[in-house]
């Protein structure tokens, strides 16, 4: 439908107000006098046409008023009602149509705003639900090491461990549980910071190989405890990237930690990275049982625990891989999970390389 501008509608209304009284006047004058010749004599002959002109003016006002109500007032009332419904969190609204172009543009802009608000509301509701779920799940996970830590500390206090060997064992378990608590809290803090604060990345030119090496070194104690060999293969040419080294090291460390925790004793972890055109690619392949089909689809979801890749006995909160993927995506890259043809889990990803390297 062709839409009129407001000024065009105003001019047409003004024309109707000026023209319709004259039409009524001329029509009634012709009916009463059988002539269109207006004479100066006989003023009484103009009384009825003047009344008709006044009636025509009133008719024009009524027509213009009805059109203004239909084309201007009702759409504006509809937009006002829709705004009040939205304020009451009622998204079931129907926006009115109008043939006035300015009103139609306001209506379309209002519709875009409503869609944006609805998407934002749904996203906020989803984040709030996810936040509550995460707090409840992590609080549940915190209780397990806390109860164990309190039990062993009570045992030390009550003198249950009497020999140096028993005391050493109790202390070692307490240190293990405190490290588990520290990891859970750190995962929760990092996830919350990335999800809700959307902190700016402290990007600098860094060596990707150095980040990989530091991440491997940080996991050496856990790997040695399980007699796991971490084998690194790289093509070190042009490994400079533009990234937040602290966050990216955290992401790679989480991936390696996941591999160490799910690799059997005396197993192997293969780490490889190389430059491929304008991106740095990397893979982490362990000799564990790998991912099931369900795990490959959901392993990056917050707090997901599959039968093999997620369980509380390994000390994970189910946030490590989620944090890693979000960090890598913040850097403009991607991370995926699959199984290696030779067996075992395969985590592969890439991030943009520095163009100035």
């Amino acid at each position: 439908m062709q839409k009129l501008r407001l000024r065009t509608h105003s001019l047409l209304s003004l024309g109707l107000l000026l023209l319709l009284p004259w039409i009524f006047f001329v029509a009634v004058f012709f009916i009463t006098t059988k002539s269109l010749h207006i004479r100066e004599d006989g003023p009484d002959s103009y009384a009825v046409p003047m009344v008709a002109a006044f009636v025509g003016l009133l008719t024009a006002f009524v027509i213009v008023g009805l059109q203004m109500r239909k084309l201007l007032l009702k759409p504006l009332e509809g937009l006002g009602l829709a705004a009040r419904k939205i304020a009451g969190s009622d998204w079931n609204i129907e926006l009115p149509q109008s043939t006035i172009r300015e009103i139609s543009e306001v209506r379309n802009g209002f519709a875009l705003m409503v869609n944006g608000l609805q998407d934002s509301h749904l996203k906020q509701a989803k984040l709030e639900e996810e936040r509550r779920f995460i707090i409840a799940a992590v609080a549940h996970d915190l209780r397990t090491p806390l109860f164990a830590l309190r039990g062993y500390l009570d045992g030390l206090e009550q003198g249950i461990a009497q020999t140096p060997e028993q005391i050493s064992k109790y202390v070692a378990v307490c240190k293990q549980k405190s490290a588990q608590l520290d990891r859970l809290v750190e995962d929760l803090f990092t996830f919350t910071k990335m999800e809700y604060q959307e902190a700016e990345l402290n990007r600098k030119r860094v060596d990707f190989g150095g980040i990989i090496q530091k991440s491997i070194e940080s996991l050496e104690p856990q790997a040695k405890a399980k007699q796991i060999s971490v084998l690194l293969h790289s093509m070190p040419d042009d490994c400079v990237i533009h990234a937040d080294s602290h966050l990216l090291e955290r992401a790679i460390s989480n991936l390696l930690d996941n591999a160490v925790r799910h690799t059997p004793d005396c197993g192997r972890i293969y780490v490889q990275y190389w430059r491929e055109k304008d991106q740095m690619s990397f893979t982490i392949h362990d000799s564990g049982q790998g991912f099931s089909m369900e795990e490959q689809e959901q392993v990056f979801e917050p707090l997901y625990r599959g039968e093999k890749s997620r369980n509380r006995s390994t000390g994970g909160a189910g946030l490590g891989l989620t944090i890693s993927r979000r960090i890598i995506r913040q850097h403009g890259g991607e991370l995926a999970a699959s199984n290696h043809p030779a067996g075992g889990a395969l985590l592969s990803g890439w991030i943009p390389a520095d163009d100035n390297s």
Side-chain angles (χ1 to χ4, degrees), residues 294-354:
E294 178 188 1
E295 290 168 343
Q296 290 183 42
E297 297 176 357
Q298 304 182 40
V299 72
F300 293 110
E301 293 182 4
L303 304 179
Y304 173 75
R305 292 184 174 92
E307 292 182 354
K308 301 173 182 176
S309 67
R310 288 287 181 270
N311 57 74
R312 291 183 173 88
S313 64
T314 61
L319 291 174
L321 294 183
T322 304
I323 291 172
S324 295
R325 173 179 262 189
R326 292 187 179 181
I327 290 175
I328 290 173
R329 283 182 171 178
Q330 277 188 333
H331 284 81
E334 188 54 271
L335 180 67
S338 61
N339 290 322
H340 195 274
L346 177 66
L347 293 168
S348 56
W350 61 271
I351 58 174
D354 190 3

Side-chain angles (χ1 to χ4, degrees), residues 203-228:
R203 291 178 180 268
K204 295 180 180 179
R205 296 182 77 246
V206 294
D207 179 29
F208 185 69
I211 292 177
I212 295 287
Q213 191 62 46
K214 288 181 181 179
S215 301
I216 293 175
E217 291 174 357
S218 67
L219 270 297
E220 278 186 357
Q222 292 93 314
K224 287 183 177 179
K226 298 178 66 175
Q227 297 182 349
I228 295 174

Side-chain angles (χ1 to χ4, degrees), residues 111-245:
L112 290 175
M113 182 192 70
V114 170
N115 291 334
L117 287 174
Q118 189 172 12
D119 291 342
S120 177
H121 178 77
L122 292 175
K123 181 179 179 182
Q124 186 64 35
K126 183 178 179 181
L127 288 176
E128 182 65 19
E129 182 181 358
E130 184 176 290
R131 182 185 67 85
R132 292 178 180 177
F133 175 68
I134 288 173
I135 291 176
V138 173
H140 183 274
D141 285 345
L142 287 172
R143 287 189 303 177
T144 302
L146 276 175
F147 287 159
L149 184 61
R150 186 173 64 181
Y152 279 97
L153 288 175
D154 287 343
L156 288 172
E157 183 182 29
Q158 296 170 10
I160 296 177
Q162 298 179 353
T163 65
E165 291 78 9
Q166 289 179 329
I167 294 175
S168 178
K169 178 182 177 181
Y170 273 50
V171 170
V173 172
C174 289
K175 290 177 64 177
Q176 178 186 359
K177 296 303 178 183
S178 64
Q180 186 176 342
L181 285 171
D182 180 69
R183 182 173 179 272
L184 288 169
V185 173
E186 182 66 21
D187 279 350
L188 181 61
F189 174 76
T190 303
F191 179 82
T192 305
K193 180 180 178 181
M194 293 181 59
E195 182 67 24
Y196 302 105
Q197 295 183 2
E198 297 182 356
E200 291 289 334
L201 295 178
N202 183 23
R203 291 178 180 268
K204 295 180 180 179
R205 296 182 77 246
V206 294
D207 179 29
F208 185 69
I211 292 177
I212 295 287
Q213 191 62 46
K214 288 181 181 179
S215 301
I216 293 175
E217 291 174 357
S218 67
L219 270 297
E220 278 186 357
Q222 292 93 314
K224 287 183 177 179
K226 298 178 66 175
Q227 297 182 349
I228 295 174
S229 301
V230 181
L231 306 176
L232 176 63
H233 177 70
S234 65
M235 302 178 193
D237 295 336
D238 297 330
C239 293
V240 177
I241 59 174
H242 198 63
D244 187 320
S245 59

Side-chain angles (χ1 to χ4, degrees), residues 20-21 24-29 47-57 59:
L20 196 59
F24 273 55
F25 177 87
V26 172
V28 173
F29 181 82
V48 175
M50 290 297 292
V51 172
F54 182 72
V55 173
L57 182 62
T59 304

